[in-house]
Structure formats: structure tokens, C-alpha cells
């Protein structure tokens, strides 16, 4: 039987949750340098849960896909435990991010499909923009209708609904008047790469905290 086109992402997740989540994540994030992980929410101050995720201290509560290309380097002892992050103390995390409206969070995840430098096909110009946006909605639907979203993008400091699609990840990392995003990245030089910019989204529900981080490196 054909699936109705107007089914929402939460409905789809009810039907085949893990398979749909994993497939959506791979379509969006398999090629760019993106860190994606979900952990349990154990604290009222969810910044402590973000800190634990960045340090790889907690597993996904559901055992679903995690995208973490540097994990093997951490296991081998080649990089610090939190690489590519060097987060602030846990108590400061919530003070370094800005609220995002749900649709803006979806758009931010969608532009994470872009490369940071010399992107030949910005997401806004791709014929599969609607499909990519649907994948981003599927990922965020995991956290439920009451989830709240946050970003380190400076553009959100004065507007919880910046137009991420208009400028891509780099355009909103700088923010208004050139104010830099709040950085959570490591200054370590590893594998011949400098980490130069970032766009992060944090999803917070009553039970889980999700981390989606696009990283510019050269």
C-alpha cells in the first residue's frame, strides 16, 4: 500500500523509528564533517548532558545511529576525549547558546548537508531540498513535540528564527555585524586539519538531549 505523502515525521517514526532515523541521518550527514549523537537527559541543567555527549561519556538511550568520525582516534588515544570539541565547563554550556524556533532548527540541520568551503551546490538550490528538509524533520521528531532547540550560531542571538537556508552554515556562524559564533571546538591540530568554524544545534526533551554539529575544517 502506498504511503500518504502528507504523513508527518512523527507518524513515520511511530511506524519504523530506528530505520527511518538512521536513513535520514545518513542522507544528510554521511559526506560533510558532522558530529551527531543523542544521550539521556539526566539533569535539569541540560548543559551537563551536552557536556557528557561531547566527551563521549554516555550511549544513545535507544542504541540508534551515532555519527562520530573521530571516535576511533579517541579510542586509540590519539586525540583528547572530547575532540573535535573543547567545550566550556558544563555549567557554562547553556549560557553559550541561543534559543531556536523549531522550523529554524530544521533549516539549520538541512544546511549541515553542505560543505563549509567551496560548496558547489548550496542546499537552497538543490532539487532535493524538500527531501533533505524532510530528513531534518525526521531527525528532530525523535525528541517529541515539546522539544526545545538551541544553537551556538550568533545569528540567533537576536532572532530565534534566522534564515539558515539563505546563507548556508558559514553565513550564520558569523552572525550579525560579524560577531562570531560561540565556539565549542578544539584547537588541536590533528590529521593535518585545522577546525575553523562550526554550526551546532542542541535538541532538548524531557528524556533525551541530541547534538548535531557541523564542522568546518581545512
Amino acid at each position: 500500500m502506498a504511503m500518504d505523502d502528507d504523513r508527518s515525521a512523527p507518524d513515520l517514526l511511530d511506524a519504523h523509528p530506528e530505520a527511518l532515523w538512521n536513513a535520514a541521518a545518513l542522507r544528510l550527514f554521511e559526506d560533510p564533517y558532522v558530529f551527531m549523537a543523542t544521550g539521556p537527559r539526566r539533569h535539569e541543567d541540560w548543559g551537563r548532558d551536552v557536556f557528557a555527549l561531547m566527551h563521549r561519556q554516555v550511549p544513545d538511550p535507544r542504541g540508534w545511529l551515532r555519527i562520530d568520525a573521530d571516535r576511533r582516534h579517541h579510542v586509540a588515544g590519539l586525540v583528547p576525549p572530547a575532540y573535535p570539541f573543547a567545550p566550556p565547563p558544563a555549567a557554562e554550556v547553556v549560557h553559550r547558546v541561543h534559543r531556536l524556533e523549531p522550523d529554524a532548527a530544521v533549516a539549520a540541520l538541512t544546511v549541515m548537508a553542505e560543505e563549509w568551503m567551496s560548496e558547489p551546490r548550496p542546499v537552497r538550490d538543490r532539487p532535493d531540498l524538500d527531501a533533505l528538509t524532510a530528513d531534518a524533520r525526521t531527525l528532530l521528531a525523535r525528541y517529541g513535540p515539546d522539544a526545545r532547540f538551541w544553537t551556538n550560531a550568533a545569528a540567533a542571538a537576536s532572532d530565534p528564527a534566522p534564515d539558515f537556508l539563505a546563507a548556508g552554515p558559514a553565513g550564520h556562524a558569523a552572525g550579525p555585524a560579524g560577531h562570531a559564533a560561540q565556539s565549542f571546538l578544539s584547537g588541536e591540530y590533528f590529521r593535518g586539519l585545522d577546525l575553523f568554524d562550526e554550526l551546532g544545534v542542541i535538541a532538548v526533551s524531557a528524556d533525551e538531549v541530541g547534538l548535531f554539529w557541523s564542522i568546518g575544517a581545512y
Side-chain angles (χ1 to χ4, degrees), residues 12-83:
L12 290 172
L13 283 179
D14 286 343
H16 304 286
E18 183 176 3
L20 287 167
W21 160 272
N22 292 353
L26 289 174
R27 282 190 295 265
L28 273 175
F29 302 146
E30 190 168 28
D31 291 331
Y33 189 177
V34 171
F35 178 95
M36 182 194 81
T38 297
R41 182 176 180 187
R42 294 172 173 166
H43 304 91
E44 180 66 23
D45 175 5
W46 47 261
R48 299 182 184 278
D49 300 307
V50 170
F51 186 86
L53 274 173
M54 289 184 170
H55 281 82
R56 301 181 174 91
Q57 294 172 345
V58 292
D60 188 304
R62 310 187 201 190
W64 293 5
L65 178 70
R66 174 177 296 207
I67 296 178
D68 180 3
D70 295 296
R71 185 177 184 85
R72 64 186 185 276
H73 305 301
H74 158 60
V75 171
L78 300 176
V79 294
Y83 187 90

Side-chain angles (χ1 to χ4, degrees), residues 24 28 105-107 109-110 131-141:
L28 273 175
V106 169
L109 262 64
T110 303
L132 293 172
T133 301
D135 284 338
R137 289 191 186 281
T138 294
L139 294 180
L140 296 183

Side-chain angles (χ1 to χ4, degrees), residues 91-188:
E92 295 181 18
V93 169
V94 298
H95 303 295
R96 298 202 182 189
V97 291
H98 313 291
R99 278 290 307 277
L100 269 186
E101 296 294 335
D103 284 346
V106 169
L109 262 64
T110 303
V111 299
M112 290 182 189
E114 296 183 17
E115 299 288 350
W116 279 80
M117 300 177 67
S118 305
E119 171 56 60
R121 294 194 311 150
V123 163
R124 64 181 178 273
D125 296 332
R126 296 185 194 177
D128 61 346
L129 171 60
D130 289 345
L132 293 172
T133 301
D135 284 338
R137 289 191 186 281
T138 294
L139 294 180
L140 296 183
R142 165 179 181 159
Y143 306 99
D146 296 324
R148 302 175 81 180
F149 305 101
W150 308 79
T151 182
N152 69 323
S158 58
D159 179 6
D163 186 356
F164 287 100
L165 290 176
H172 284 284
H179 294 298
Q182 294 282 357
S183 180
F184 287 74
L185 291 183
S186 170
E188 292 277 338

